Amino acid sequence: MRAMNTCLPVILVVLYSFLPVTRAGAISSPDEALAYKIFPLLAGIKADRVVRESIKTDKVLRAIGENYQRRVAAGLDTCQSAVSLARVMQWTRLEMEEVCGSLTALPGGSAFMRNLENNNACIAYAIPRKKELLQKAWTDAAHGMNRIYDVYIAGTKPAYAAIDSILTDFRSPQGFKNLTDTLKYLLRSVDHRSSFYAVPVALAVKALLLSRRDEAIRYEPITAGINAEAYTRVKQVSFSSYPYSAILTPGYGPEEKGVRIDHRSMARCQMAVEQFRKKQAPFIIVSGGHVYPAGTPFSEGVEMRRYLIEQYGIPASAIITEPYARHTTTNVRNASRLVYLFGLPDSKPVLVTTDSVQTQMVVNQQARCRRELGYVPFRDAGQISKTTSFFYPVKEAFQVNVFDPLDP
């Protein structure tokens, strides 16, 4: 982008890698896949029967869910603009606080509560008391939903407006009518009695889909498809023969529409090939999502994978594609996740090959990570040369960023 194996609890993998399927009780639609990936706390609640039933029968939470459904239904009939509709959808501070109060009564012996600190919604939070941990994760989820309504319904500019803004215009009469018609149908189809968050989550993910911002689930499960060969090969690799577990190569998005790969991504690929042929690592991780220009159909990671295979003859089994990252911070964070998901040794560093400017960014981005992600998704980063650096992965990298629904 511009700028000995550690065994994790199964919940980390289950809540990170999704594929819409049709088995009973499994993810069955893009809406549900987005909901699970962006809001793993709520996915964990849904998966635990004891907690699910406790929430369903709680009088305060049931009333909150019913009031929310009525408020949105009325707004869909009376609001005259996407901005006013987004305001109606917002979780209020009082509602958030009331939910926090009820969540403290959840059964502490449930599997969900016992493993809460390993949930991707709060794995990086340094909060020892589980009730406070749950309240923090819930409050972040609610604010994350509000942010989606703001940006992907009302059209508020996000922090990185050039690449993350809404792609569908709901300001025109026809656009607004299409929006309200779809959401009215959604409201009739969602069982608001199943949980207090059923309707607001459904509205949030539908807003993303209507805005053509489904980037977060386009390549799931990440260990299959374009990564199937590499995932299979991991078990056959003797990592003791290599100083690094993988070579991370961040992409650079083209400036022009219709361009599949930028020349700077090509140059970075060449750097990675040089290190790969020196047997520095058994895998190359190519990293970058659908970023520049906004709405591009091309993923930087996917296009770099194609380039490595076609231009340099690198076998597909030696390439791990990370097709989501939108910034240098998430290039490293997502690569850390892949180390664990693929079973690479986290005791070995990851080598990073890129230009000199981004190399400096990689090794000096701790403050930016804390500001934008809330934590640092790596440890012990260091610079080797002008174009090479390294870092060690950490399991806290699985922490979801609910404020970045395009790459949570």
Side-chain angles (χ1 to χ4, degrees), residues 12-175:
L12 291 179
V13 177
V14 171
L15 294 184
Y16 180 70
S17 190
F18 302 111
L19 177 68
V21 292
T22 55
R23 301 191 309 274
I27 297 170
S28 59
S29 68
D31 301 64
E32 192 170 2
L34 271 172
Y36 271 55
K37 191 165 186 181
I38 300 171
F39 304 110
L41 177 78
L42 307 181
I45 288 174
K46 184 176 181 180
D48 190 297
R49 183 186 61 81
V50 174
V51 174
R52 190 173 66 243
E53 290 301 312
S54 176
I55 284 177
K56 185 177 181 179
T57 57
D58 184 282
K59 292 182 179 179
V60 173
L61 295 178
R62 190 167 66 235
I64 290 173
E66 291 173 350
N67 290 336
Y68 187 95
Q69 192 272 345
R70 284 194 294 268
R71 183 170 81 226
V72 173
L76 287 170
D77 287 332
T78 60
C79 289
Q80 299 298 308
S81 70
V83 172
S84 60
L85 180 59
R87 290 198 193 103
V88 168
M89 293 178 176
Q90 296 283 313
W91 284 99
T92 67
R93 178 177 295 183
L94 178 59
E95 287 172 332
M96 292 185 199
E97 292 174 352
E98 288 179 336
V99 169
C100 283
S102 289
L103 291 181
T104 60
L106 289 182
S110 67
F112 169 74
M113 289 299 291
R114 288 198 307 271
N115 293 298
L116 181 61
E117 64 274 14
N118 293 318
N119 187 285
N120 292 355
C122 46
I123 189 172
Y125 293 160
I127 302 176
R129 292 172 60 87
K130 290 193 175 183
K131 297 297 184 181
E132 295 174 7
L133 186 66
L134 179 59
Q135 291 174 344
K136 164 66 172 170
W138 151 249
T139 302
D140 279 355
H143 283 299
M145 289 179 235
N146 285 353
R147 188 62 179 158
I148 291 174
Y149 308 144
D150 272 341
V151 174
Y152 299 105
I153 290 182
T156 300
K157 295 297 183 183
Y160 293 93
I163 58 173
D164 294 344
S165 294
I166 189 171
L167 296 177
T168 301
D169 188 1
F170 296 133
R171 292 173 297 181
S172 69
Q174 187 59 51

Side-chain angles (χ1 to χ4, degrees), residues 301-379:
V302 172
E303 294 307 317
M304 286 193 295
R305 174 185 185 271
R306 180 181 60 81
Y307 184 76
L308 287 172
I309 293 171
E310 295 178 359
Q311 185 70 24
Y312 293 101
I314 303 298
S317 61
I319 305 171
I320 299 174
T321 305
E322 190 292 297
Y324 297 125
R326 309 179 72 76
H327 308 282
T328 302
T329 54
T330 48
N331 286 133
V332 173
R333 182 200 67 183
N334 294 357
S336 284
R337 291 173 174 177
L338 291 177
V339 166
Y340 293 103
L341 287 170
F342 278 70
L344 308 184
D346 68 350
S347 57
K348 283 184 177 290
V350 174
L351 181 66
V352 186
T353 59
T354 185
D355 55 66
S356 59
V357 173
Q358 193 177 38
T359 295
Q360 288 294 315
M361 294 172 66
V362 168
V363 298
N364 295 296
Q365 63 175 332
Q366 289 87 343
R368 181 184 175 189
C369 286
R370 292 189 184 95
R371 184 173 64 251
E372 297 187 3
L373 304 178
Y375 66 101
V376 179
F378 59 89
R379 65 176 177 88

Side-chain angles (χ1 to χ4, degrees), residues 155-354:
T156 300
K157 295 297 183 183
Y160 293 93
I163 58 173
D164 294 344
S165 294
I166 189 171
L167 296 177
T168 301
D169 188 1
F170 296 133
R171 292 173 297 181
S172 69
Q174 187 59 51
F176 184 62
K177 183 179 186 304
N178 292 341
L179 171 68
T180 54
D181 286 348
T182 301
L183 296 186
K184 284 178 182 178
Y185 177 80
L186 175 67
L187 215 59
R188 292 193 297 269
S189 63
V190 175
D191 182 8
H192 67 276
R193 297 167 298 182
S194 62
S195 67
F196 70 94
Y197 57 81
V199 170
V201 169
L203 291 170
V205 298
K206 186 61 73 178
L208 289 169
L209 293 171
L210 291 174
S211 301
R212 296 183 287 130
R213 309 264 27 180
D214 65 337
E215 287 94 328
I217 57 168
R218 288 181 184 174
Y219 300 93
E220 297 301 328
I222 200 66
T223 54
I226 55 178
N227 281 328
E229 292 182 60
Y231 185 66
T232 300
R233 178 172 169 257
V234 170
K235 299 179 180 64
Q236 305 164 3
V237 172
S238 175
F239 285 93
S240 61
S241 301
Y242 302 90
Y244 301 94
S245 63
I247 302 163
L248 170 62
T249 305
Y252 193 107
E255 301 289 348
E256 300 178 23
K257 290 184 177 180
V259 177
R260 300 181 71 100
I261 185 170
D262 188 89
H263 67 90
R264 282 155 288 204
S265 285
M266 296 179 188
R268 294 175 184 182
C269 283
Q270 182 179 356
M271 296 176 193
V273 170
E274 291 172 358
Q275 297 297 327
F276 179 77
R277 288 176 175 168
K278 291 178 181 177
K279 299 190 182 302
Q280 294 297 293
F283 295 97
I284 298 174
I285 300 176
V286 283
S287 174
H290 295 261
V291 189
Y292 291 95
T296 178
F298 304 119
S299 159
E300 295 168 15
V302 172
E303 294 307 317
M304 286 193 295
R305 174 185 185 271
R306 180 181 60 81
Y307 184 76
L308 287 172
I309 293 171
E310 295 178 359
Q311 185 70 24
Y312 293 101
I314 303 298
S317 61
I319 305 171
I320 299 174
T321 305
E322 190 292 297
Y324 297 125
R326 309 179 72 76
H327 308 282
T328 302
T329 54
T330 48
N331 286 133
V332 173
R333 182 200 67 183
N334 294 357
S336 284
R337 291 173 174 177
L338 291 177
V339 166
Y340 293 103
L341 287 170
F342 278 70
L344 308 184
D346 68 350
S347 57
K348 283 184 177 290
V350 174
L351 181 66
V352 186
T353 59
T354 185

